[in-house]
């Protein structure tokens, strides 16, 4: 079972990072955010990750799809709140 606290924590973290990411014009800042999110999802509840990843093992870890992935993750977490 996924706790409400873990959903809220993930939502807060990803929402904040997404907002910076989508408005950033600095490649190094975007790369830092991708690394931080990758580290975060490595440690997050596997059940929660599976619930937001739609079965993709590279969700939030693929540089080319990261912008879309983080937006989807925030939307999916928001629906679970």
């Amino acid at each position: 079972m996924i706790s409400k606290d873990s959903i809220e924590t993930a939502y807060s973290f990803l929402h904040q990072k997404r907002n910076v990411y989508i408005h950033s014009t600095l490649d190094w800042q975007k790369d830092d955010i991708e690394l931080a999110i990758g580290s975060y999802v490595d440690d997050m509840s596997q059940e929660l990750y599976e619930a937001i990843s739609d079965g993709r093992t590279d969700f939030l870890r693929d540089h080319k799809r990261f912008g879309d992935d983080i937006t989807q993750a925030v939307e999916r977490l928001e629906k679970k709140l």
Side-chain angles (χ1 to χ4, degrees), residues 7 10-11 14-15 18 37 41 44 48-49 51-53 59-60 66-80:
I7 295 169
Y11 174 80
L14 294 176
H15 184 268
R18 181 192 63 98
I37 297 295
V41 299
M44 80 185 307
L48 180 56
Y49 181 74
I52 65 170
S53 69
F59 188 71
L60 295 170
F66 185 80
D68 292 333
D69 285 354
I70 194 157
T71 297
Q72 287 178 350
V74 169
E75 290 170 355
R76 290 172 183 165
L77 286 164
E78 188 170 20
K79 288 178 183 176
K80 293 184 176 304

Side-chain angles (χ1 to χ4, degrees), residues 40-51:
Y40 182 81
V41 299
D42 286 344
D43 294 331
M44 80 185 307
S45 155
Q46 185 65 28
E47 187 178 4
L48 180 56
Y49 181 74
E50 289 172 2

Side-chain angles (χ1 to χ4, degrees), residues 24-35:
S24 179
T25 58
L26 306 170
D27 288 338
W28 66 264
Q29 187 176 41
K30 288 183 171 189
D31 290 343
D32 284 354
I33 290 169
E34 287 184 44
L35 288 172

